[in-house]
Amino acid sequence: MKAIPYGRQHITQLDIDAVVETLQSDFLTQGPKIAEFENNFAKYIGCKYAVAVANGTAALHLCAMAMNVQKGDKVITTPITFAASANCIEYCGGEAVFADINSNTYLLDINKVRALLEAAPKGTYKGIIPVDFAGAAINLEELKKLADEFELWIIEDACHAPGGFFIDNKGTKQLCGNGQFADVAIFSFHPVKHIATGEGGMITTNSKEIYDKLCLLRTHGITKTPELLQENHGGWYYEMQALGYNYRMCDMQAALGITQLQRADDGLQKRKQIAKIYDEAFASNKNIEIPIYNNGHAFHLYIIKVKDRLGLYNYLRAKNIFAQVHYIPVHTMPYYQHKGYKKGDYPIAEKYYEACLSIPMYPTLTNEEQQYVITCINEFV
Ligand SMILES: *Cc1c(COP(=O)(O)O)cnc(C)c1O
């Protein structure tokens, strides 16, 4: 059996042709493929604006800048996420503050967030960065109510959940990143995510003002738009109006993103089928805890919990199955420990970390491969 990773990209001839065609075109960057990908993505997610960027981390950084995070600003996020969700606040001189997770959903616990907010003078916290962890959409309607009460903004980290959704109070389906409740949302197109462009990211929003800001910051803070210029010396003239970055995506990546996006729903359906097969295969093994989820789960990850996680991890590795752990709690990282966090601060997240294991989950996982994974896991546990 060849190596089976926990996640991987799916590249077809259509993808390859799209990239080659772009390589042969006039624009390798800042060309028409960027706007096309942005428009298609906005349509898919159901929001007004999308801004393509170099990667998901750059997307988070630009969002933190667009929310005007300043030195000393406190922002709340979850310890069970990729470090970048918290780091974007630190890039701007702010302070990432964690709130523990819910032990059933593994998502940021809204009650814990409320407790933090109520314990501090109003205005202490500026925003919240919830994560649609593993593909489970967090209930942003509830979180938005809380955010409004304390005058906070929301950056939704939807890297795990393109196509994921929750059902709001009125029974309406709310897709992750659609901008109905969060000010901005971000996605990543790293090859283990649903849509792969190598490196790549996207920001979505319904606010024209935020959209304009993001476009400026993505390209050095430079604009050439005549209406926005303070002076105008001629056709060559541009102004750098803010300290921005070069966080652009290139056209080959956008071309790949366009064709990948066309298959996004097929991939999502396949992920759901794989999840169902795992559910059934492990249902009778009382030593394996399977995830609790609803229809809107996008299954970036399928996470089981077992007592001897290290043993299972090593056993699977010997069988050429490369499971992974998502995540080592961010507050236990040496960088955050230097800032004063310590083990024991977020016991639910830490307990979750002791047992969690992400097993292979990607659309091209064959039935034969999945059965092999299941057999190996049930053999060990
Ligand atoms: C992948 C990921 C990121 C970062 O995206 P990159 O494109 O790798 O920079 C941020 N947050 C979460 C939850 C992620 O999974």
Side-chain angles (χ1 to χ4, degrees):
M1 189 68 73
K2 70 175 191 335
I4 304 176
Y6 82 87
R8 67 161 295 156
Q9 73 276 15
H10 177 207
I11 300 293
T12 66
Q13 192 58 45
L14 195 70
D15 295 329
I16 294 166
D17 293 345
V19 173
V20 171
E21 196 181 299
T22 305
L23 277 169
Q24 290 163 336
S25 76
D26 290 335
F27 293 96
L28 300 189
T29 190
Q30 293 173 286
K33 288 291 170 191
I34 299 295
E36 188 182 341
F37 184 33
E38 288 172 339
N39 291 336
N40 293 0
F41 195 83
K43 208 184 242 170
Y44 180 72
I45 295 298
C47 66
K48 281 199 187 131
Y49 308 102
V51 180
V53 292
N55 54 63
T57 305
L60 282 162
H61 187 189
L62 291 187
C63 287
M65 290 177 76
M67 294 300 110
N68 201 25
V69 174
Q70 302 283 321
K71 195 165 171 11
D73 285 357
K74 288 186 190 326
V75 174
I76 301 170
T77 191
T78 166
I80 298 299
T81 185
F82 185 58
S85 312
N87 296 350
C88 64
I89 299 308
E90 306 273 326
Y91 292 160
C92 299
E95 188 188 330
V97 178
F98 303 96
D100 214 341
I101 59 166
N102 176 299
S103 58
N104 292 318
T105 62
Y106 316 149
L107 301 174
L108 190 61
D109 185 335
I110 295 182
N111 296 323
K112 297 273 165 54
V113 176
R114 175 174 282 284
L116 264 182
L117 294 172
E118 284 176 348
K122 209 163 175 169
T124 302
Y125 295 94
K126 306 295 181 196
I128 314 175
I129 307 183
V131 179
D132 299 309
F133 176 68
I138 193 161
N139 187 323
L140 283 178
E141 188 180 32
E142 270 178 35
L143 198 65
K144 167 85 168 125
K145 267 189 213 140
L146 183 61
D148 284 347
E149 200 181 315
F150 289 86
E151 293 168 24
L152 310 176
W153 44 255
I154 298 176
I155 299 173
E156 178 188 6
D157 183 338
C159 283
H160 294 183
F165 63 86
F166 73 95
I167 304 293
D168 72 9
N169 257 335
K170 295 198 188 76
T172 308
K173 187 168 146 177
Q174 298 288 352
L175 280 169
C176 295
N178 73 0
Q180 288 297 314
F181 304 102
D183 298 87
V184 277
I186 70 110
F187 295 86
S188 162
F189 306 127
H190 183 278
V192 296
K193 312 285 163 82
H194 287 54
I195 294 164
T197 65
E199 298 286 352
M202 192 73 83
I203 306 168
T204 57
T205 183
N206 285 340
S207 159
K208 174 76 163 69
E209 194 190 331
I210 294 172
Y211 170 73
D212 287 340
K213 221 167 170 180
L214 292 168
C215 291
L216 191 73
L217 293 171
R218 169 178 62 179
T219 305
H220 310 280
I222 286 175
T223 184
K224 275 184 148 179
T225 309
E227 311 85 75
L228 298 177
L229 298 174
Q230 291 177 18
E231 299 176 24
N232 197 342
H233 306 171
W236 68 86
Y237 191 73
Y238 60 83
E239 281 174 0
M240 187 198 123
Q241 299 182 333
L243 186 63
Y245 294 83
N246 178 355
Y247 277 168
R248 292 187 299 259
M249 174 184 272
C250 71
D251 276 52
M252 290 85 81
Q253 292 170 308
L256 186 51
I258 292 164
T259 50
Q260 290 263 312
L261 186 61
Q262 289 165 2
R263 292 198 309 278
D265 275 332
D266 294 345
L268 196 55
Q269 289 322 311
K270 193 73 208 300
R271 286 173 186 274
K272 289 183 180 187
Q273 281 168 18
I274 290 168
K276 219 178 207 139
I277 293 170
Y278 278 141
D279 286 348
E280 283 161 15
F282 301 135
S284 59
N285 189 331
K286 61 180 189 330
N287 297 318
I288 299 174
E289 199 178 314
I290 58 175
I292 301 168
Y293 63 91
N294 54 34
N295 270 344
H297 202 296
F299 282 106
H300 165 54
L301 303 171
Y302 188 94
I303 298 168
I304 59 171
K305 289 203 289 183
V306 293
K307 211 163 175 197
D308 182 10
R309 192 263 312 274
L310 177 63
L312 177 59
Y313 175 87
N314 287 336
Y315 183 78
L316 293 177
R317 250 188 115 133
K319 298 276 183 187
N320 227 5
I321 297 165
F322 292 76
Q324 185 55 282
V325 170
H326 298 93
Y327 290 95
I328 306 162
V330 180
H331 70 280
T332 67
M333 291 289 152
Y335 172 84
Y336 284 102
Q337 289 202 29
H338 287 143
K339 306 210 84 171
Y341 290 102
K342 56 190 187 308
K343 282 184 188 153
D345 283 348
Y346 302 98
I348 300 169
E350 290 167 38
K351 186 154 179 268
Y352 158 84
Y353 166 64
E354 293 302 317
C356 68
L357 192 66
S358 306
I359 61 175
M361 167 55 84
Y362 49 92
T364 55
L365 183 71
T366 65
N367 193 260
E368 188 196 359
E369 286 167 334
Q370 190 179 7
Q371 289 308 326
Y372 174 69
V373 171
I374 290 166
T375 304
C376 292
I377 293 172
N378 275 331
E379 235 165 54
F380 182 85
V381 186

